[in-house]
């Protein structure tokens, strides 16, 4: 019973509105911490042309193998000589590591996001079909089992060696090994969703299969799929760095974290900065994405939410 002025009423006080899904996600500490760090990396990637001190592919043999903080003098395109500070040193060709790491942020993030979108799009389509169309289930899943029998990194290396180095090739080579994981996730969700009453009612009304999958089945797979996509993105960035480090990924003239580290591995004992700084950026980015994924899982998974 509540009181309105001096009059008592029998109406109960309205219950506070439940927070929306977006609000619950933002209240998660892991999502906030990882999001701030990832936004910082995205800002660095977008502002690389203004934050960088020099062209990342400019070669200057006179300034090679300078340690972090060293003052180097370089000749500009107009012929003038300019003295600047190499904040992260230079590599064995005299290229500025600071600028290469900043520009490498753009390429590494772009490859990671692109590989994730490709893998998720193909995996979602196959998972929906395999989970709903019974006679295609066995065919699709046996194919996925065969792909999962090959280690993902080994399969990516084989695909790059088969198709040749290049950004598009690397994206596809990283995305293909991730497809079976997405297919298995979506299929398991669809197997339970297709037994729901609203799906059976739509089927009884004669809803076409493509419309059934898009309107009634797919929306209920989005939350787990977003969580899975974050882990795929983190792994894609790591695999891209590995392929570039081995010299079979993105061409070495394109600055990526893996290429910068590959350039510095020969003189790692004498000049560890060539590997240290891109390694720090790589670790922080992967950490941020994984932390976001953990936070999303804790928030969007009902079983995890009950434990919190």
């Amino acid at each position: 019973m509540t009181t309105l002025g001096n009059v008592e009423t029998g109406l109960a006080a309205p219950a506070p509105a439940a927070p929306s899904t977006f609000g619950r996600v933002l209240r998660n500490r892991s999502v906030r911490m990882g999001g701030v760090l990832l936004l910082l990396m995205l800002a660095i990637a977008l502002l690389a042309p203004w934050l960088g001190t020099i062209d990342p592919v400019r070669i200057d043999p006179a300034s090679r193998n300078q340690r972090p903080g060293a003052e180097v003098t370089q000749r500009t395109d107009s012929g003038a000589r300019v003295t600047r500070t190499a904040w992260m040193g230079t590599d064995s060709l005299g290229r500025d590591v600071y600028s290469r790491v900043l520009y490498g942020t753009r390429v590494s993030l772009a490859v990671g996001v692109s590989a994730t979108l490709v893998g998720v799009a193909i995996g979602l389509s196959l998972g929906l079909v395999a989970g709903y169309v019974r006679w295609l289930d066995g065919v699709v899943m046996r194919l996925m089992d065969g792909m999962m029998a090959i280690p993902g990194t080994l399969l990516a290396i084989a695909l790059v060696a088969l198709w040749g180095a290049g950004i598009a090739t690397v994206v596809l080579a990283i995305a293909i090994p991730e497809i079976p994981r997405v297919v298995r996730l979506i299929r398991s969700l669809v197997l339970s969703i297709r037994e729901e009453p609203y799906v059976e009612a739509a089927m009884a009304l004669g809803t076409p299969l493509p419309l059934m999958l898009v309107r009634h089945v797919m929306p209920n797979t989005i939350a787990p799929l977003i969580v899975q996509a974050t882990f795929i993105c983190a792994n894609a960035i790591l695999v891209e760095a590995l392929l570039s480090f081995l010299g079979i990924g993105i061409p070495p003239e394109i600055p990526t974290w893996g290429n910068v580290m590959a350039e510095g591995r020969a003189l790692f004992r004498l000049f560890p900065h060539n590997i240290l700084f891109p390694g720090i950026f790589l670790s922080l980015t992967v950490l941020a994405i994984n932390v976001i994924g953990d936070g999303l899982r804790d928030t969007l998974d009902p079983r995890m939410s009950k434990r919190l």
Side-chain angles (χ1 to χ4, degrees):
M1 182 175 295
T2 60
T3 302
L4 182 61
N6 295 325
V7 181
E8 292 186 350
T9 67
L11 300 177
S20 64
T21 301
F22 184 72
R24 288 188 291 112
V25 168
L26 289 183
R27 290 195 306 178
N28 187 281
R29 182 179 302 177
S30 297
V31 174
R32 293 200 305 268
M33 294 175 57
V36 170
L37 186 54
L38 184 59
L39 287 176
L40 177 61
M41 291 299 172
L42 290 174
I44 290 175
L46 294 174
L47 300 177
W50 294 273
L51 295 176
T53 55
I54 198 172
D55 187 351
V57 298
R58 175 187 285 275
I59 296 176
D60 184 14
S63 302
R64 62 191 183 95
N65 291 328
Q66 296 294 320
R67 299 188 183 278
E71 298 290 333
V72 297
T73 302
Q74 292 184 328
R75 188 180 298 275
T76 62
D77 295 335
S78 60
R81 301 190 66 84
V82 177
T83 301
R84 61 176 182 84
T85 301
W87 300 109
M88 297 183 181
T90 60
D91 61 12
S92 59
L93 298 178
R95 295 174 296 191
D96 183 58
V97 175
Y98 171 71
S99 295
R100 289 178 63 78
V101 168
L102 294 186
Y103 278 87
T105 306
R106 309 178 102 186
V107 180
S108 296
L109 287 178
V111 170
V113 172
S114 300
T116 301
L117 292 177
V118 172
V120 166
I122 299 176
L124 175 62
S125 302
L126 292 177
L128 289 173
V129 173
Y132 200 87
V133 183
R134 298 179 185 272
W135 66 271
L136 282 177
D137 186 16
V139 177
V140 174
M141 295 314 298
R142 298 297 75 78
L143 178 61
M144 296 299 107
D145 291 341
M147 294 177 62
M148 292 191 70
I150 306 174
T153 304
L154 181 60
L155 180 58
I157 292 175
L159 293 175
V160 171
L162 178 64
W163 296 335
I167 294 180
T169 300
V170 170
V171 169
L172 290 176
I174 296 174
I176 289 176
E178 300 292 345
I179 292 175
R181 297 173 178 84
V182 180
V183 172
R184 291 171 67 91
L185 171 66
I186 299 302
R187 172 184 175 271
S188 64
L189 295 171
V190 174
L191 287 176
S192 60
I193 293 173
R194 72 182 185 184
E195 305 299 333
E196 294 292 333
Y198 64 88
V199 175
E200 295 179 351
M203 186 188 308
L205 292 174
T207 305
L209 178 60
L211 184 60
M212 172 86 69
L213 295 177
V214 173
R215 177 178 295 179
H216 301 289
V217 179
M218 188 176 68
N220 294 284
T221 66
I222 297 301
L225 186 61
I226 292 176
V227 176
Q228 183 70 17
T230 59
F231 299 116
I232 292 176
C233 185
N235 184 66
I237 294 175
L238 281 175
V239 174
E240 182 278 320
L242 173 63
L243 295 177
S244 298
F245 184 80
L246 296 176
I248 57 174
I250 295 177
E253 63 271 12
I254 300 177
T256 68
W257 293 329
N259 283 336
V260 176
M261 290 188 286
E263 180 63 33
R265 63 184 171 183
L267 300 175
F268 172 69
R269 293 183 179 273
L270 296 176
F271 306 102
H273 62 271
N274 289 331
I275 292 182
L276 176 62
F277 291 111
I280 290 175
F281 273 68
L282 175 63
S283 301
L284 290 177
T285 303
V286 173
L287 174 64
I289 297 174
N290 280 328
V291 168
I292 292 174
D294 288 337
L296 291 175
R297 182 195 59 194
D298 296 342
T299 305
L300 300 178
D301 189 343
R303 293 171 298 179
M304 297 297 296
S305 300
K306 293 178 181 179
R307 299 178 186 176
L308 298 178

